[in-house]
């Protein structure tokens, strides 16, 4: 079974925290609905900013406004966003209808600059509702003090609301009460309340990110035991508030008139700390009448190894103890959540401003096309280029590539091997894992990093080494991908085992040569350092999940295991961990490297016209 689809068995709806134009052009959203049970979509300014600033995906649409001084960047963005929201809503309309309006929603938010402007938020929410004109739209309103009465008013007018940036239990209670009061006002006017929808988005991982840092600053050793547990405890206690509020008599009267509860939605459920399991917050918060909005990378992880079970009401007494332990140590949850709300609003404001700058920049760009670049080609070559472009255009080959259509090749198993299409974006989503590799290698203690590989897994690191050379204050990368004894001796002559790390690189984990290298150098390191344990601390592994090498590394107590992707062949693995881990360790700015890479990835997105 697919764990994502199994969530429905426990009353939870998986929504995707991601929206951009290639979702519709490639047909990917429809596939996610069919294959993974995805039943809603949310978005925010950060996601649109990345798409507009770092790709050509919206370039043609933005250029239509070139020279239009009567239209500002915000109006241009809203037209782009509204179009995407409408497309997503139309794609999800079947879910909306089949669930009797319980699911199938798409979120669109008011400007984050209006977070403390009640009247401005109300007017913009009404305007966006009219602009999109879809019954399965949710207008996002932040849970500020000014936002609470706005939520009540919008609900009373029959406008669906996604309350965002919720962190505290007290704030959640106020939001739920505003929702209930809005329905009561609407019912008193004799208007239908059965089609009014709302979710209350409680943010999860951001709480642990802040609380964990406060715990580390605190001298109370007992607090270490609750690191990584506060966010889950807070969410579970919010759910207890939900059950109490929507089990009361006041709610029952509304339910009798057809009202649906305002479900709790878990937001920010990707793990920020690489030491935590990547599906931690998803596994722990599964329960009836809830929604989890999931970023693509976390969705892939849960599909692969998540566990669907009814966990939301586990250990409620322990959750109370965790919050009390924090308070007793002088870390006040109300101050934590107030800070997170303030920071959350500010982050969205920064992203929104960056987005508008990107729109302005894009409408003033005269983007080059292949037609312009190849104008001076010879006649024969020009005809060949034109023929290829015509073929790719008429046969929708760009869209088919992103849709992983195996019939672009032989129609056999080619679709399995196309995970390289999305690997750069996945790496950007988990950039913390890679930047921590470089942080761990900084300084002069580690002199060399020796990569033990063969073939495809060594090609990209070798290219990076030859391109960037030795980077100051980081280890020199040495690569061994030959069983020639002279090469092995040459490597060994250069290194000091006490100042050398070894990276064993093998997709299958069963390739003979890397395993021979590992045995040889592990034995030599053990002799030099005095024990297998000391040697194991200097050995790292990059391999596909479940491989023989993973099991060997776990058994041997190796320092860390990095995973590849089964759907990427060795010679296409440059942007996966097989290339990026050694690249980061040798001191390359991987974040910048991937950011530049994304320019090309997005320039070739599914809805790009081949000539562009």
């Amino acid at each position: 079974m697919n764990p994502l689809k199994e969530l429905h068995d426990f009353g939870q709806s998986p929504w995707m925290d991601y929206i951009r134009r290639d979702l519709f052009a490639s047909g990917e959203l429809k596939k996610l609905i069919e294959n993974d049970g995805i039943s809603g979509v949310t978005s925010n300014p950060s996601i649109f900013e990345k798409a507009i600033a770092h790709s050509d995906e919206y370039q043609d649409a933005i250029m239509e406004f070139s020279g239009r001084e009567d239209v500002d960047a915000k109006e241009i963005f809203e037209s782009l966003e509204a179009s995407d929201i409408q497309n997503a809503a139309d794609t999800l309309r079947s879910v909306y209808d089949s669930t009797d309006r319980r699911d199938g929603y798409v979120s669109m938010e008011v400007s984050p600059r209006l977070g403390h402007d009640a009247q401005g938020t109300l007017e913009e929410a009404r305007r966006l509702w009219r602009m999109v004109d879809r019954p399965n739209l949710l207008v996002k309103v932040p849970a500020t003090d000014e936002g609470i009465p706005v939520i009540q008013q919008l609900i009373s007018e029959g406008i669906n609301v996604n309350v965002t940036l919720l962190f505290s239990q007290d704030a959640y209670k106020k939001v739920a009460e505003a929702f209930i009061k809005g329905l009561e006002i609407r019912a008193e006017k004799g208007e239908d309340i059965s089609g009014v929808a709302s979710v209350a988005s409680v943010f999860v991982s951001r709480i642990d990110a802040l609380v964990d840092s406060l715990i580390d600053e605190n001298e109370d050793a007992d607090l270490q035991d609750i690191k990584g547990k506060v966010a889950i405890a807070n969410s579970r206690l919010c759910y207890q508030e939900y059950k109490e509020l929507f089990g009361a008599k006041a709610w029952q009267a509304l339910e009798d008139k057809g009202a649906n509860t305002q479900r709790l939605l878990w937001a920010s459920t990707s793990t920020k700390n690489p030491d935590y399991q990547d599906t931690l917050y998803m596994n722990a918060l599964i329960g009836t009448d809830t929604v989890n909005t999931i970023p693509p990378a976390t969705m892939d992880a849960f599909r692969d190894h998540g566990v669907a079970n009814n966990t939301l009401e586990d250990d409620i007494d322990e959750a109370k103890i965790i919050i009390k332990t924090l308070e007793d140590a002088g870390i006040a949850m109300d101050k934590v959540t107030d800070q997170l709300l303030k920071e959350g609003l500010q982050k969205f404001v920064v992203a929104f401003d960056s987005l508008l700058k990107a729109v302005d920049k894009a409408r003033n760009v005269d983007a080059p096309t292949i037609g312009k670049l190849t104008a001076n080609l010879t006649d024969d070559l020009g005809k060949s280029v034109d023929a290829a472009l015509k073929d790719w255009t008429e046969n929708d080959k760009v869209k088919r590539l992103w849709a992983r259509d195996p019939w672009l090749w032989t129609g056999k198993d080619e679709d399995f091997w196309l995970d390289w299409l999305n690997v750069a974006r996945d790496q950007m989503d988990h950039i913390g894992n890679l930047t921590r590799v470089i942080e761990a290698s900084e300084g002069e203690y580690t002199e060399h990093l020796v990569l033990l590989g063969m073939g495809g897994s060594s090609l990209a690191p070798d290219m990076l080494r030859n391109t960037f050379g030795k980077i100051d204050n980081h280890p020199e990368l040495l690569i061994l991908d030959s069983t020639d004894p002279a090469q092995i001796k040459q490597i060994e002559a250069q290194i000091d085992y006490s100042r050398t790390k070894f990276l064993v690189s093998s997709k299958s984990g069963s390739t003979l040569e890397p395993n021979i290298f590992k045995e040889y150098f592990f034995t030599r390191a053990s002799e030099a350092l005095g024990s297998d344990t000391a040697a194991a601390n200097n050995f790292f592994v990059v391999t596909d999940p479940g491989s023989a090498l993973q099991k060997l590394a776990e058994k041997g107590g190796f320092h860390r295991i990095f995973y590849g992707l089964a759907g990427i062949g060795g010679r296409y693995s440059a942007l996966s961990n097989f290339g990026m881990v050694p690249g980061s360790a040798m001191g390359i700015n991987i974040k910048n490297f991937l950011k530049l890479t994304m320019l090309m990835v997005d320039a070739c997105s599914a809805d790009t016209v081949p000539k562009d």
Side-chain angles (χ1 to χ4, degrees):
M1 290 291 290
N2 180 342
L4 284 168
K5 294 191 83 168
E6 287 183 48
L7 291 174
H8 289 282
D9 297 338
F10 300 97
Q12 185 168 89
S13 299
W15 292 7
M16 183 166 66
D17 187 25
Y18 180 82
I19 187 171
R20 56 188 292 168
R21 202 152 281 189
D22 59 6
L23 272 178
F24 323 117
S26 66
E28 185 179 353
L29 179 57
K30 188 175 181 181
K31 287 185 178 180
L32 289 168
I33 294 168
E34 295 170 353
N35 299 336
D36 292 327
I38 297 304
S39 53
V41 173
T42 58
S43 187
N44 60 58
S46 300
I47 293 172
F48 275 107
E49 190 271 336
K50 288 178 183 177
I52 292 173
H54 306 299
S55 80
D56 291 332
E57 195 168 342
Y58 293 87
Q59 184 66 44
D60 288 345
I62 293 173
M63 288 296 289
E64 292 179 10
F65 295 91
S66 181
R68 290 276 307 278
E69 295 183 6
D70 59 316
V71 182
D72 63 22
K74 186 171 184 286
E75 290 172 301
I76 295 173
F77 164 65
E78 283 185 354
S79 73
L80 302 175
E81 184 187 25
S83 176
D84 284 359
I85 296 294
Q86 287 171 330
N87 280 324
D90 292 344
T91 304
L92 284 158
R93 184 58 189 260
S94 60
V95 177
Y96 177 77
D97 292 336
S98 65
T99 60
D100 194 21
R101 301 179 289 191
R102 193 59 166 159
D103 266 317
Y105 290 94
V106 184
S107 293
M108 181 182 191
E109 61 194 288
V110 297
S111 167
R113 286 204 165 276
L114 298 172
H116 295 295
D117 179 351
Q119 188 59 35
T121 297
L122 181 61
E123 291 174 0
E124 181 151 314
R126 288 167 173 162
R127 183 173 59 79
L128 295 177
W129 178 258
R130 292 192 299 269
M131 179 191 296
V132 174
D133 192 25
R134 297 293 189 275
N136 51 334
L137 171 70
L138 289 166
V139 181
K140 273 190 180 183
V141 176
T144 57
D145 289 341
E146 296 83 359
I148 301 298
V150 175
I151 293 161
Q152 177 179 307
Q153 181 61 34
L154 291 172
I155 293 298
S156 74
E157 295 177 14
I159 296 175
N160 304 328
V161 179
N162 176 348
V163 185
T164 187
L165 290 176
L166 266 170
F167 296 96
S168 76
Q169 297 168 51
D170 288 342
Y172 165 64
K173 189 173 181 180
K174 291 177 183 177
V175 163
E177 288 172 345
F179 167 74
I180 292 170
K181 182 62 177 176
L183 288 181
E184 288 174 341
I185 293 170
R186 187 168 177 81
E188 287 169 5
K189 293 188 292 185
E191 296 176 326
D192 178 35
I193 61 173
S194 64
V196 184
S198 182
V199 292
S201 298
V202 175
F203 282 60
V204 184
S205 65
R206 293 189 192 182
I207 290 178
D208 277 342
L210 177 54
V211 170
D212 284 0
S213 68
L214 296 175
I215 287 175
D216 287 338
E217 294 171 6
N218 195 292
E219 295 181 359
D220 190 339
D222 292 339
L223 288 177
Q224 294 295 322
D225 292 336
I226 64 171
K227 283 180 68 174
K229 298 178 181 179
V230 176
I232 292 170
N234 184 65
S235 300
R236 287 175 171 172
L237 294 177
C238 282
Y239 187 67
Q240 294 305 302
E241 290 276 9
Y242 164 85
K243 289 180 65 179
E244 184 175 338
L245 285 163
F246 291 99
K249 287 184 179 179
W251 174 253
Q252 293 304 317
L254 293 169
E255 191 172 58
D256 291 342
K257 296 178 181 178
N260 282 308
T261 59
Q262 179 193 54
R263 289 180 293 176
L264 278 166
L265 179 150
W266 310 126
S268 185
T269 51
S270 61
T271 52
K272 304 291 189 286
N273 188 331
D275 292 333
Y276 297 161
Q277 185 184 12
D278 53 5
T279 58
L280 171 67
Y281 300 115
M282 289 198 64
N283 290 341
L285 298 175
I286 301 171
T288 305
D289 284 336
T290 59
V291 177
N292 196 321
T293 181
I294 318 163
T298 305
M299 188 179 297
D300 291 342
F302 192 79
R303 186 193 300 110
D304 178 67
H305 51 266
V307 178
N309 213 336
N310 200 338
T311 55
L312 185 51
E313 295 193 84
D314 290 352
D315 305 319
I316 297 301
D317 289 338
E318 182 186 3
K320 295 175 182 177
I321 292 171
I322 288 170
I323 300 299
K324 187 176 186 303
T325 301
L326 201 66
E327 299 276 356
D328 290 346
I331 301 176
M333 274 299 288
D334 58 347
K335 292 184 178 179
V336 168
T337 54
D338 286 349
Q339 180 178 336
L340 287 169
L341 174 58
K342 182 179 179 180
E343 290 177 353
L345 263 180
Q346 185 58 33
K347 285 178 181 177
F348 281 164
V349 167
V350 170
F352 192 71
D353 288 350
S354 297
L355 185 156
L356 297 184
K357 288 178 183 177
V359 171
D360 263 334
K361 183 178 179 181
R363 68 165 162 178
N364 294 313
V365 169
D366 183 15
T369 67
I370 286 181
K372 296 174 184 176
L373 296 173
T374 60
N376 297 320
L377 292 177
T378 64
D379 288 345
D380 287 345
L381 186 53
K383 289 177 182 177
S384 297
V385 170
D386 289 341
L389 289 174
K390 183 180 180 182
D391 173 39
W392 275 73
T393 302
E394 292 180 350
N395 292 295
D396 276 337
K397 287 191 173 182
V398 180
K399 292 180 182 178
R400 288 171 60 196
L401 173 64
W402 283 94
R404 300 180 179 229
D405 181 355
W407 289 102
L408 280 172
W409 294 276
T410 68
K412 293 180 181 177
D413 67 344
E414 289 87 355
D415 53 321
F416 175 80
W417 296 103
L418 295 178
D419 280 354
W420 54 265
L421 284 166
N422 297 308
V423 68
R425 184 168 286 122
D426 289 345
Q427 293 284 39
M428 286 293 283
D429 289 341
H430 293 88
I431 194 65
N433 292 334
L434 292 172
T435 54
R436 271 179 281 276
V437 176
I438 186 172
E439 289 164 6
S441 73
E442 285 178 334
E444 298 180 356
Y445 179 76
T446 303
E447 194 170 46
H448 290 101
L449 173 69
V450 180
L451 187 143
L452 307 174
M454 179 60 66
S457 60
S458 303
L459 293 175
D462 194 40
M463 176 275 295
L464 294 174
R465 178 186 62 166
N466 285 307
T467 301
F468 292 94
K470 169 73 170 69
I471 297 173
D472 290 343
N473 210 35
H474 287 88
E476 180 181 1
L477 177 63
L478 304 177
I479 296 175
L480 180 63
D481 63 353
S482 169
T483 54
D484 180 351
Q487 284 200 26
I488 296 172
K489 287 182 178 180
Q490 183 184 22
I491 292 285
E492 194 165 18
Q494 296 180 66
I495 66 173
D496 174 351
Y497 279 99
S498 67
R499 301 181 66 184
T500 300
K501 306 288 187 186
F502 294 90
L503 183 63
V504 189
S505 183
S506 172
K507 272 187 68 66
S508 68
S510 58
T511 305
L512 181 63
E513 293 86 352
N515 286 332
I516 292 173
F517 300 153
K518 188 275 301 177
E519 288 293 332
Y520 177 77
F521 282 100
F522 188 86
T523 300
R524 299 285 284 128
S526 296
E527 293 170 353
L529 301 176
S531 70
D532 285 357
T533 301
N537 196 48
N538 287 342
F539 273 73
F540 299 75
V541 162
V542 184
T543 189
D544 281 358
S547 76
L549 181 56
Q550 175 193 340
K551 296 169 185 173
L552 186 149
E554 290 172 342
K555 184 178 180 181
F558 284 16
H559 189 75
R560 189 165 178 189
I561 301 170
F562 298 92
Y563 294 107
L565 294 171
I568 298 181
R571 285 160 182 76
Y572 290 79
S573 62
L575 297 171
S576 76
N577 282 339
F578 285 96
M580 295 297 95
V581 167
S584 185
M586 64 178 281
I588 296 171
N589 184 334
I590 290 297
K591 185 174 183 179
N592 194 48
F593 185 97
L594 289 168
K595 188 175 180 181
L596 290 168
T597 303
M598 286 305 302
L599 294 175
M600 195 61 197
V601 175
D602 291 330
C604 302
S605 62
D607 62 345
T608 301
V609 178
K611 69 181 176 61
D612 294 333

